[in-house]
Amino acid sequence: MLAYAICSSIGLIVGGLLAYKIQMPRPPQAVRLPIYVCAFIGAIVGAKVPIWLSYGWYGYILQGKSVMGGILGAFLAINLYKKCSGHTGGFGGRFVIPLAVTIGFGKIGCYLNGCCGGTLAFPVQLLESIFQFVMAGCLYLFYRRTQRADLLFPVYLLSYLVMRFIIEFWRTEPRVWLQLSVYQWLAVAFIPVCILIIWRRAHDNVDTAS
């Protein structure tokens, strides 16, 4: 548990420094607080939902959390806010690179803590960590070349969901239907959404979802 806490703390510190150093457009001042509050609440609730769906309520009301659920929860909460408020800007691009780095360190903590494991000879937690660090680098280079901050989050989310769908075959998670885990079904549900967002932004250059 100590190793996980240390790695998570390092991730938060490094992620915070990156968020400060990388110069990207910020949300308008008037919507920053509502957006941050919605993202925080969505992430907290979303982090629990896959755990409950996989293992049930008993014993897991407070125990356990899901990175994937947290990301999707924040995604849904922000888009619900945008739908209700009429705001159309993309708000995830500025934080996605720090987020990937933070999760990368967190997954190292998972490995050292002995949780979130799998059946591969090489630890799946470290595979996920490598993916996060590589994605952070790729997204940074993509932004430097294109200046399209609005595409960073949907590209990251699409890549992450594809990775999770594949790697779930080796993770020790309950199979809920057709030998697929809750995480794989979430990936199946949200991958088309990410593709649609990327296509619309790339062709129309209009921010419609975060």
Side-chain angles (χ1 to χ4, degrees):
M1 194 65 180
L2 177 61
Y4 177 80
I6 292 174
C7 289
S8 297
S9 298
I10 293 173
L12 288 172
I13 293 171
V14 176
L17 290 174
L18 285 174
Y20 175 76
K21 287 290 186 180
I22 299 177
Q23 299 298 318
M24 289 190 184
R26 296 187 178 188
Q29 184 71 36
V31 301
R32 285 183 195 174
L33 181 58
I35 284 292
Y36 295 158
V37 170
C38 287
F40 177 77
I41 295 174
I44 294 297
V45 175
K48 300 301 301 182
V49 171
I51 303 297
W52 296 335
L53 293 176
S54 297
Y55 298 98
W57 292 83
Y58 183 75
Y60 290 93
I61 295 296
L62 298 177
Q63 180 182 350
K65 58 185 180 297
S66 163
V67 169
M68 180 175 172
I71 295 173
L72 293 177
F75 171 81
L76 290 174
I78 289 174
N79 280 280
L80 178 61
Y81 166 79
K82 289 163 65 175
K83 183 71 173 178
C84 295
S85 65
H87 291 286
T88 59
F91 304 121
R94 186 168 180 266
F95 298 102
V96 68
I97 294 173
L99 174 66
V101 171
T102 300
I103 295 174
F105 280 103
K107 287 299 177 179
I108 295 175
C110 289
Y111 169 68
L112 295 176
N113 192 48
C115 60
C116 309
T119 60
L120 286 175
F122 189 83
V124 294
Q125 305 98 317
L126 298 185
L127 285 177
E128 292 188 56
S129 179
I130 292 170
F131 166 85
Q132 297 292 344
F133 291 135
V134 170
M135 277 302 301
C138 290
L139 291 171
Y140 178 72
L141 293 175
F142 175 79
Y143 177 71
R144 287 285 302 272
R145 180 181 292 263
T146 66
Q147 297 297 301
R148 291 296 301 270
D150 61 312
L151 290 176
L152 294 183
F153 184 81
V155 167
Y156 167 77
L157 184 56
L158 174 62
S159 303
Y160 177 70
L161 292 174
V162 171
M163 181 276 296
R164 279 300 298 264
F165 182 87
I166 295 171
I167 208 170
E168 279 297 306
F169 287 109
W170 294 282
R171 292 184 80 231
T172 54
E173 294 290 338
R175 307 297 153 172
V176 295
W177 190 43
L178 299 180
Q179 292 302 304
L180 299 179
S181 70
V182 166
Y183 301 96
Q184 287 172 307
W185 285 114
L186 287 172
V188 168
F190 281 93
I191 283 174
V193 177
C194 295
I195 293 173
L196 177 61
I197 292 172
I198 294 169
W199 185 87
R200 292 181 66 179
R201 292 187 182 185
H203 287 77
D204 300 335
N205 196 24
V206 174
D207 287 341
T208 57
S210 177

